[in-house]
């Protein structure tokens, strides 16, 4: 009788945990590979952009939805306040920026912690703020977090250590959009990252 024709039944708790660990490790390895490829690209020169008229809030929501399993897995509370704002940008590169910020926030947040994601405007700028409940960034490291391969001393959860390239790549992508990314002083424990991008005045976002 062929194995494929037999019912193998469900996984026991130990097997399920092993599958979960393998799945998480594969996802982290994929992220490492993507970071290295993206980093090698930005080292050659300014990243090329496939520009389109975008709704920043819709783009951020798309990334948030993709991270819902990770948020639920750690029991994290997400507070989202997002205004629909038009920007001109490269959809995939801006998604990479948002993904890096949200992934870090989830990675460093304690079980049952709270995340806040805000899209708002100030003057001619669209602002994306990501704030977490994690250990934050020591003052001595605040100017180095965007350096390539910098990871700091704060341990993050996971079986594979990150590349230390996510924020460096994000900075290059944001700068290519004539924007800025910075680590702000947080009013609560944790880290507060802000991305600012020029508003696309007079254009309808797709």
């Amino acid at each position: 009788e062929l194995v494929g024709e037999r019912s193998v039944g469900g996984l026991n708790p130990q097997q399920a945990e092993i599958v979960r660990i393998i799945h998480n490790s594969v996802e982290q390895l994929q992220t490492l590979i993507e970071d290295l490829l993206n980093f090698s690209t930005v080292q050659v020169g300014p990243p090329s952009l496939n520009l389109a008229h975008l709704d920043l809030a819709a783009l951020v929501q798309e990334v948030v939805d993709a991270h819902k399993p990770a948020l639920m897995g750690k029991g994290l509370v997400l507070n989202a306040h997002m205004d629909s704002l038009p920007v001109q940008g490269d959809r995939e590169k801006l998604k990479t920026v948002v993904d890096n910020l949200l992934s870090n926030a989830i990675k460093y947040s304690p079980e049952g912690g709270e995340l806040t994601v805000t899209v708002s405007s100030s003057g001619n700028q669209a602002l994306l703020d990501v704030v977490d409940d994690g250990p934050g960034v020591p003052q001595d490291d605040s100017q180095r977090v965007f350096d390539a391969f910098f990871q700091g001393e704060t341990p993050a959860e996971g079986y594979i250590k990150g590349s230390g390239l996510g924020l460096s790549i994000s900075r290059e992508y944001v700068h290519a959009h004539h924007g800025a990314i910075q680590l702000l002083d947080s009013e609560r424990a944790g880290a507060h990252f802000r991305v600012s991008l020029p508003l696309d005045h007079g254009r309808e976002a797709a």
Side-chain angles (χ1 to χ4, degrees):
E1 185 177 287
L2 296 176
V3 173
E5 296 177 349
R6 295 200 302 262
S7 174
V8 296
L11 300 175
N12 62 42
Q14 185 177 16
Q15 291 171 328
E17 175 65 10
I18 292 172
V19 170
R20 186 188 68 82
I21 292 171
I22 293 172
H23 177 73
N24 289 345
S25 297
V26 169
E27 286 189 337
Q28 291 181 58
L29 279 171
Q30 181 178 352
T31 299
L32 285 172
I33 293 169
E34 290 173 354
D35 282 350
L36 288 169
L37 290 174
N38 289 334
F39 181 71
S40 65
T41 300
V42 298
Q43 292 307 294
V44 174
S48 60
L49 301 179
N50 183 17
L51 296 176
H53 302 292
L54 308 171
D55 180 344
L56 181 59
L59 184 146
V60 172
Q61 186 62 57
E62 186 178 341
V63 178
V64 168
D65 289 344
H67 282 278
K68 282 185 177 179
L71 290 164
M72 294 175 62
K74 294 188 70 172
L76 300 176
V77 176
L78 175 66
N79 297 313
H81 311 280
M82 296 188 283
D83 297 331
S84 179
L85 297 174
V87 297
Q88 189 177 48
D90 185 306
R91 175 181 293 275
E92 293 308 313
K93 287 181 173 58
L94 289 181
K95 282 178 64 176
T96 296
V97 173
V98 180
D99 181 79
N100 282 331
L101 293 179
L102 192 55
S103 294
N104 281 346
I106 294 172
K107 184 189 304 182
Y108 287 101
S109 290
E111 297 279 344
E114 183 176 334
L115 302 181
T116 301
V117 177
T118 305
V119 176
S120 61
S121 62
S122 177
N124 293 321
Q125 299 291 309
L127 306 178
L128 165 64
D129 291 277
V130 178
V131 186
D132 64 56
D133 264 349
V137 179
Q139 186 66 34
D140 292 345
D141 293 341
S142 61
Q143 301 302 314
R144 303 172 58 202
V145 292
F146 298 103
D147 292 347
F149 300 108
F150 179 76
Q151 298 186 16
E153 297 181 0
T154 303
E157 295 186 3
Y159 297 93
I160 299 176
K161 198 170 184 179
S163 66
L165 294 173
L167 289 176
S168 179
I169 293 167
S170 296
R171 178 181 60 185
E172 297 304 316
Y173 284 176
V174 170
H175 286 177
H177 285 82
H178 306 291
I181 183 170
Q182 57 190 138
L183 174 66
L184 302 179
D185 292 332
S186 180
E187 296 180 356
R188 68 187 200 209
H192 179 176
F193 286 92
R194 168 173 289 176
V195 173
S196 58
L197 298 168
L199 282 168
D200 190 15
H201 289 294
R203 302 304 295 265
E204 184 177 350

